Amino acid sequence: MTIIEEKSSINAAGGWAQMRFLPEIGDLSRIVVLGVLVVAGQILYPGFLSPENLRVVLTAVAGIGILAFGMTMVVITGEIDLSVAGVAVLSIVIGGLLLPTGSPALIIGATLLCGLGLGLVNGIFVAKLGVSSLISTLAMLGIASALANIFSAGQATYPEKIAEYMWFGRGALLGIPVPILLLAVMALACVFMTRNSTFGRKLYATGGNARAALLSGIRIDRVKIVVFAFCGLCAAITGLIESARLGYINPAAFPGLELKVLAVTVLGGAALAGGTGSVFGTLVATLIIGVVNNLLNQMGVSFYMQQVVTALVILVVVVPGMRNRRFVK
């Protein structure tokens, strides 16, 4: 290893240690924003913090939150996944084709395996074949969306008779809706994976300085394949939750989902350049979006104006975080 490479490794290690604390700086500002929104919501609508309304808020954002966890890991490695909407819809369509079998294990298993497999393909194209993640996942989005319509003949299917399938969207365990439980379990697992495991260290090192990570013995190709496969699995879980919650499998579902998930990921503090971001920040960002949407619905604000307000909230939270990063540099 040359002197320059040694310095790069040292800088990368120090940079990684420094970057570990950056999310905490941003997380604090996001928690403050979330607290202000909750207090404002309770003042404006005394029933805002009622268990029923909180259940509505959390159930509505559970799917997008889980998917954003997967996207956060991809973005931390310095890549991007624009195929999530196509992966989600093709996964549930593949599962829907098996509805006549009446086998929940077969239907749900096929749905999850499809998401995992498509994510794996994305990872191989990016990490092994060197195709830009922007290009490869955009192509996957088009292919998966088209195949979903071809396989389903553009027709929706209805999984109501499969109780186990519907449980993912409408079921409850100990009085807690299943989508909320899945969001909590996935959040805990992802936080542990990124903060307390060797894989988490490799994740940040890969996004922070890929060359230094490679010289340190980290197989960055494997890291990227794993995170893309995980993101595909998250997309399938989101598709499962949302199709069960709505009661039908729509081959035209999730238009623009990739942009919504990417917005939540950035709002959560992940930098598109890679190396920074946290699952906890993404969880708080998901809750911010859920609270804002709930408040706007209660105020009777139109759908399009809701998009404008949500975008403004994202700017208000993201810009201070970007200023902090410049200051640290």
Side-chain angles (χ1 to χ4, degrees), residues 299-318:
M299 293 169 67
V301 176
S302 71
F303 173 74
Y304 298 108
M305 188 52 71
Q306 285 188 29
Q307 290 183 317
V308 172
V309 174
T310 303
L312 289 175
V313 171
I314 291 173
L315 285 176
V316 167
V317 178
V318 169

Side-chain angles (χ1 to χ4, degrees), residues 258-279:
E258 64 279 357
L259 297 181
K260 294 176 186 174
V261 173
L262 196 56
V264 171
T265 303
V266 173
L267 178 60
L272 294 179
T276 59
S278 75
V279 172

Side-chain angles (χ1 to χ4, degrees), residues 60 71 83 89 98 137 149 162 176 190 211 237 239 248 276 289:
M71 180 71 85
S83 70
V89 75
L98 299 172
T137 59
N149 278 285
I162 310 298
I176 305 174
C190 292
R211 179 169 173 75
I237 294 173
Y248 61 92
T276 59
I289 295 298

Side-chain angles (χ1 to χ4, degrees), residues 36-48 295-296 298-299:
V36 170
L37 287 171
V38 169
V39 171
Q42 182 62 22
I43 293 173
L44 291 172
Y45 302 98
F48 181 78
L295 283 174
L296 294 176
Q298 297 204 44
M299 293 169 67

Side-chain angles (χ1 to χ4, degrees), residues 125-149:
F125 267 89
V126 173
K128 292 294 186 183
L129 302 182
V131 182
S132 160
S133 57
L134 180 69
I135 301 301
S136 61
T137 59
L138 198 57
M140 177 63 82
L141 171 65
I143 293 170
S145 300
L147 289 178
N149 278 285

Side-chain angles (χ1 to χ4, degrees), residues 16-17 24 47 53 95 121-122 137 147 160 167 182 224 230 237 240 242 249 261:
W16 177 76
E24 276 73 6
N53 193 52
V121 171
N122 277 335
T137 59
L147 289 178
E160 287 96 340
W167 181 79
L182 289 174
K224 290 186 178 182
F230 180 72
I237 294 173
L240 196 59
E242 294 303 318
I249 296 171
V261 173

Side-chain angles (χ1 to χ4, degrees), residues 163-213:
E164 291 82 355
Y165 192 101
M166 300 304 292
W167 181 79
F168 281 91
R170 300 180 182 180
L173 194 63
L174 301 175
I176 305 174
V178 171
I180 298 175
L181 282 175
L182 289 174
L183 177 68
V185 170
M186 292 292 287
L188 288 173
C190 292
V191 167
F192 176 81
M193 196 188 317
T194 53
R195 295 176 65 93
N196 301 100
S197 72
T198 303
F199 180 77
R201 183 180 62 81
K202 293 178 180 177
L203 194 68
Y204 284 98
T206 299
N209 188 329
R211 179 169 173 75

